[in-house]
Amino acid sequence: MNGSIHFYDFHPPMADIRDEVLEGLSRDPKQIAPKYFYDQRGSQLFDAITELPEYYPTRTELDILECNGAQIAEFLGNDCLLMELGSGSSRKIRVLLDALQPAAYVPLDISRGHLLDAATTLARDYPQLQVHAACTDYSSDFELPDLPEHLPRAAFFPGSSIGNFEPDDARALLQRVGRHLGEDGKLLIGVDLKKDNATLHAAYNDARQLTAAFNLNLLERINRELDADFQLDCFEHLAFFNESAGRIEMHLRSTRDQQVRVAGQAIRFAAGESLHTENSYKYSIKEFRALAGDSGFVTEQVWTDENQLFSVHCLRCNG
Ligand code: AVI
């Protein structure tokens, strides 16, 4: 028997994506939001990155979840409505589902095909589970499917995806999550910690160059979906830790003077000019506790690994 699955498509219209990409390319410095990494191939490349020896966040967070599963399950509570922001391949939720029986699981992700595949596999593997999968852009005012009002609500936001938001946007996002959760709603969130430069640098400059391929795939996606003509071999991957801002920055640097057409518009790149594609903020536990507090959440518990690489925070919404 399979668990039940319902699919809701709130994917933003292509015209909105085109306008946002063109607006970002008209800025100085040029930028495109990291949410556009995640087409089908981008999601697959990200999954491959999470298996790399250099990319410590995923395995470290999984270890923390596994070591503390019983306590986490107690915090979230059985029979809750459990949503997951940026559920991707729904791998980490499996650790929670082995200790917890939610009334329903609501994965939210912008990558439609990847979400549907992951939700279908999960419903097969957890026959008792009701899955309500919603393809949505949770970085803006996102919709949820019609869900029972009476159930206690909880959210899981793993992987330090919160670090991909500017701190002000991260606060706004947590406030929106808080509104969906309601008073006393629970949020379990993974946050990457500040650490030495060498470890961070290696995680975003892996030897197999999968992170470079992930970064460059953004251009391939824009070529395909927005009728553009980026030449991928005229851009190079650049990732470094910006110490004063406390973040990894990823860029695509133009290796020459060039002109690219995107959705009928001409965009000029000077040699060496960069297109900023991602920030990945790293926090201390104290910094993140303060950010959560500013966003309407009380920190109830924080776990880390023995090397203090990554943290998992249990937060309660104070309404
Ligand atoms: C999804 N997000 C938390 C990843 C990160 O580490 O910021 C995305 C990523 N970018 C490069 N490698 C992984």
Side-chain angles (χ1 to χ4, degrees), residues 37-38 46 49 55 57 158-164 192 203-204 211 214 250 278-280 282:
F37 283 136
Y38 301 95
F46 178 65
I49 288 172
Y55 195 75
S160 202
S161 293
I162 192 70
N164 296 136
D192 198 8
Y204 293 83
T211 310
F214 173 70
M250 290 213 315
E278 186 178 65
N279 287 325
S280 193
K282 311 301 171 188

